[in-house]
Amino acid sequence: MKEHDLEGISIVRKSHRQAGIPVLGLAALGIVFGDIGTSPLYTFKTVLALTGGKPDAMAILGSVSLILWTLIIITTVKYVNFAMRVDNDGEGGILALMSLLGVKKQNRPVIVAAGLFGAALIYGDGAITPAISVLSALEGVEHVTPGLTPWVLYGAVAILVALFALQPLGTTRIGKSFGPVMLIWFGVMAAMGVYGILQYPGVLAAINPYRGLEYLASTGLAGFLVLGGVFLCVTGAEALYADMGHFGPVPIRLAWNFVVFPSLVLNYIGQAAIVLNGSPTDGSIFYSLCPPALLTPLIVLATVATIIASQSIITGAFSMTRQAIQFGWMPRFNVRQTSAEGFGQIYVGAVNWLLMIATVTLTIGFGKSDNLAAAYGIAVSMTMLMTSVLLFIAMREIWQWSLVTAGAVAGLFLIVDSAFFAANMTKFFQGGYVPLAMALAVYAIMWIWHRGTTALHNSVQKTLIPTDRFLAELQSGTVARVPGTAVFLTLSAKGVPPVMLWHVQLNRALQERVLVLRWSILSVPRVAEADRFTVMQEVPNFWLVEARYGFMEIPDVPKLLASCMAADRAIDLTDVTYYVGRTSIVPREDGRGLPSWQREPFAAMSRNSARMSDYLKVPNDRLVEIGRQIPV
């Protein structure tokens, strides 16, 4: 069965009925909204710095108006009300959308490439988010004890290192407190905003979008460059869509509309109000909203909130990596489940430590949140631009909208996203090249891995022999049969599994009972257990099992075989030997294979990727790995 052939397969959506909508909405506050929820720490300060040294009333009102309407157009309209209605059987995010439009509907390499590069870009900005968030929170000590300012960087590095070091332990216990803590955070932000607005009620004029448009029109290029700072207010919007499969759209919408969005709006307007009232802009405007007596508790709360936001970014990187592995676009990393309570509770060691190195390096290299803000936004704005293109295709093909209607709606998103992307590109030489370079490195890994696996598959296919011919040889008695049961694992969609041929050629014998297990990853999140597998008996004592998994599932071969043989006791599962092939990559003798600059990195990744047996949860004490050199 091909990956995109889903006919007859029923799909399982993750049920959210076990927990109430308010409970899920509270949990979403701690997982989904950490990034966008901590952006007031640095966004307005960055925007005003781009308007000039001493912004006037027009610049202040125009800036906050642009922030408010960016939150409305990009987050509320685009993601909450449009993107979250396009789901891949309950799952969201650019990879799920890519799978739906570029694989599930029909094979479209361009859409697949766009989706993959969009995912790679998220890794790029994902390394910056923890650094800028934690630094912004700790910089509040400048308002309490200016003498501690030189220690902010050391404190941020210590917190980030500790956060990454704790990942192998999982976050099940402390994760339950994320939602309540973020609820307190949003409540405090809203109260601070109201406090600021009461000092200068005239700031409410910024709700009128004309204020933002007037500022852009009257300042020309300078106003356009401000958009690069304004965009920081929505850098976590993509998480709303990506985490839809964990909580469902309804809890996320409720949390956004009734908690997160009002709190952000009030806080941004409150910051603008105190600046209009004469508050200085050279320090943290966010902390200037707080009465001095409450400043220390606020710094502690802000630090905890940014740690939660960073945890959400790390968890998202783990989930995205697993999806990419399932799709065959990344080498197999060891993915470890850290909790039985939630499927999303996983740990990917290689990603964790690489992300830690990148984040700590950026923290030390840039030193201050102001410097990091200059590098922030390019990757996410490009991802949002790609999402808008995919949404246009979804409007036409899934919702069956007319070209005019789809073009009008998606066109608005594209204009806004393009403006933000162009404004952010002006930051390229100020550090914006960093997330782009990281994204290109991740995309190169995915592209080379896919090229290599495709070449490897084609090379192996040429050596396959038809199943019926092999079965005829078995029936003729030319192959010696020995007691026991052999299970051969293969991704090959047809023909005799290469590992079985190698076994017969090397040992000149085969077990009395043979089971060939073919497994495939479909472009859907989950497959119903009733449709998990099919069993066919080709000849006596020779079975073919075809197993199917969604891209959010982890295969478990022993569990699968137990289900397969529950009704047929012909195979004793306590007397099974599993056979898995392990290949070594070598160049083709005719020189027509992959160029060395692709083959050598692919071979290195293949050697260092996690073992297939570990990925499939095959018990090591019953495993035989057979190696062979494959020219590509």
Side-chain angles (χ1 to χ4, degrees):
M1 172 177 283
K2 296 180 180 179
E3 290 186 5
H4 57 273
D5 184 7
L6 304 182
E7 185 175 355
I9 303 297
S10 61
I11 309 305
V12 175
R13 295 192 183 197
K14 186 175 182 180
S15 176
H16 303 282
R17 296 178 181 176
Q18 295 179 354
I21 296 297
V23 175
L24 287 169
L26 181 63
L29 287 178
I31 302 299
V32 179
F33 298 103
D35 188 1
I36 198 169
T38 54
S39 59
L41 283 165
Y42 50 83
T43 297
F44 193 59
K45 175 182 68 172
T46 302
V47 172
L48 291 189
L50 293 171
T51 64
K54 295 181 179 180
D56 56 17
M58 175 183 286
I60 297 169
L61 289 174
S63 297
V64 75
S65 180
L66 288 171
I67 289 174
L68 299 185
W69 283 94
T70 297
L71 286 169
I72 292 171
I73 295 173
I74 290 185
T75 311
T76 303
V77 177
K78 176 182 172 180
Y79 280 100
V80 174
N81 289 299
F82 278 90
M84 290 179 66
R85 298 182 189 278
V86 185
D87 65 282
N88 188 345
D89 296 292
E91 296 294 333
I94 193 166
L95 275 181
L97 187 58
M98 174 210 75
S99 172
L100 177 66
L101 301 175
V103 180
K104 191 173 178 180
K105 291 294 182 182
Q106 54 183 298
N107 191 15
R108 292 166 162 174
V110 174
I111 291 179
V112 170
L116 289 172
F117 190 60
L121 287 163
I122 294 176
Y123 283 100
D125 261 2
I128 297 181
T129 298
I132 191 173
S133 299
V134 174
L135 276 173
S136 297
L138 292 181
E139 285 169 355
V141 301
E142 299 173 2
H143 293 257
V144 180
T145 309
L148 292 177
T149 300
W151 294 93
V152 168
L153 179 60
Y154 300 107
V157 170
I159 289 174
L160 291 170
V161 170
L163 177 63
F164 284 101
L166 291 173
Q167 293 305 308
L169 303 178
T171 58
T172 304
R173 293 182 181 178
I174 62 173
K176 294 178 180 178
S177 66
F178 285 180
V181 170
M182 292 306 293
L183 181 61
I184 295 172
W185 169 251
F186 286 116
V188 168
M189 281 206 302
M192 290 167 60
V194 172
Y195 172 73
I197 293 170
L198 291 176
Q199 297 183 45
Y200 198 98
V203 72
L204 294 175
I207 297 175
N208 187 344
Y210 174 76
R211 294 289 187 175
L213 295 175
E214 179 187 31
Y215 174 72
L216 287 178
S218 62
T219 53
L221 179 60
F224 173 75
L225 296 179
V226 166
L227 292 178
V230 171
F231 183 76
L232 297 177
C233 73
V234 290
T235 51
E238 188 76 25
L240 278 70
Y241 188 29
D243 286 325
M244 183 172 66
H246 293 143
F247 301 99
V250 174
I252 292 177
R253 288 194 183 106
L254 289 176
W256 170 257
N257 290 326
F258 294 100
V259 178
V260 182
F261 179 65
S263 300
L264 293 176
V265 168
L266 288 172
N267 194 268
Y268 281 123
I269 294 179
Q271 290 187 50
I274 62 172
V275 174
L276 286 169
N277 200 38
S279 180
T281 60
D282 53 352
S284 173
I285 302 174
F286 177 84
Y287 285 115
S288 297
L289 268 176
C290 181
L294 300 176
L295 197 53
T296 299
L298 177 62
I299 294 172
V300 174
L301 178 61
T303 302
V304 174
T306 56
I307 291 172
I308 293 174
S310 302
Q311 178 61 55
S312 301
I313 291 294
I314 297 168
T315 303
F318 292 164
S319 297
M320 189 180 302
T321 300
R322 178 169 60 184
Q323 288 189 34
I325 293 171
Q326 299 286 62
F327 281 131
W329 286 96
M330 268 194 178
R332 289 183 303 276
F333 295 116
N334 284 315
V335 179
R336 179 162 59 84
Q337 198 79 25
T338 59
S339 171
E341 297 181 12
F343 183 77
Q345 298 276 350
I346 61 173
Y347 170 70
V348 186
V351 174
N352 183 64
W353 301 122
L354 288 173
L355 197 59
M356 185 194 77
I357 292 171
T359 301
V360 172
T361 301
L362 289 171
T363 304
I364 296 173
F366 284 89
K368 297 178 62 178
S369 62
D370 292 347
N371 299 333
L372 275 167
Y376 203 26
I378 292 181
V380 172
S381 61
M382 189 180 293
T383 300
M384 289 184 175
L385 188 60
M386 293 179 178
T387 300
S388 294
V389 174
L390 296 181
L391 283 176
F392 170 74
I393 298 173
M395 291 172 189
R396 294 279 293 141
E397 298 184 358
I398 297 177
W399 295 344
Q400 301 294 311
W401 285 10
S402 68
L403 181 62
V404 174
T405 304
V409 175
L412 171 64
F413 298 151
L414 287 169
I415 290 172
V416 174
D417 290 337
S418 298
F420 280 122
F421 174 65
N424 277 299
M425 280 301 292
T426 62
K427 305 176 183 179
F428 184 83
F429 294 106
Q430 297 173 272
Y433 62 87
V434 173
L436 284 181
M438 293 175 62
L440 286 171
V442 173
Y443 184 74
I445 289 172
M446 293 192 291
W447 185 78
I448 289 175
W449 179 257
H450 189 71
R451 285 271 296 168
T453 52
T454 301
L456 179 65
H457 174 77
N458 293 337
S459 181
V460 170
Q461 289 295 110
K462 295 177 181 178
T463 66
L464 296 180
I465 65 172
T467 303
D468 54 356
R469 196 174 93 191
F470 182 80
L471 293 176
E473 292 182 14
L474 291 183
Q475 297 291 86
S476 67
T478 57
V479 177
R481 308 302 292 270
V482 296
T485 301
V487 176
F488 295 94
L489 306 174
T490 181
L491 284 169
S492 299
K494 59 182 179 180
V496 179
V499 66
M500 186 158 66
L501 285 178
W502 304 343
H503 170 59
V504 172
Q505 291 169 1
L506 291 171
N507 298 295
R508 297 178 174 83
L510 187 64
Q511 282 85 340
E512 289 178 342
R513 292 174 295 280
V514 176
L515 189 148
V516 174
L517 174 58
R518 292 174 179 161
W519 56 277
S520 57
I521 304 297
L522 308 182
S523 59
V524 293
R526 297 171 183 85
V527 176
E529 286 301 321
D531 298 314
R532 175 72 64 205
F533 59 85
T534 56
V535 182
M536 294 173 285
Q537 187 168 7
E538 302 287 329
V539 295
N541 292 328
F542 191 103
W543 293 268
L544 172 63
V545 177
E546 292 189 354
R548 311 167 190 94
Y549 292 91
F551 59 78
M552 291 296 289
E553 299 178 299
I554 298 177
D556 187 328
V557 168
K559 180 180 177 181
L560 176 73
L561 292 184
S563 300
C564 292
M565 297 302 155
D568 188 348
R569 301 297 180 183
I571 292 181
D572 181 7
L573 294 179
T574 64
D575 183 29
V576 168
T577 302
Y578 297 90
Y579 290 86
V580 178
R582 191 163 183 87
T583 58
S584 297
I585 309 301
V586 296
R588 282 176 49 167
E589 294 181 356
D590 59 7
R592 296 182 179 180
L594 291 177
S596 60
W597 65 272
Q598 295 177 25
R599 184 183 61 252
E600 294 305 323
F602 172 68
M605 287 188 282
S606 181
R607 287 193 303 270
N608 292 284
S609 63
R611 298 191 309 165
M612 178 67 74
S613 56
D614 292 337
Y615 176 67
L616 298 175
K617 300 185 183 300
V618 175
N620 289 325
D621 58 349
R622 294 191 172 275
L623 172 68
V624 174
E625 286 188 326
I626 300 178
R628 184 185 178 189
Q629 291 185 333
I630 304 293
V632 296

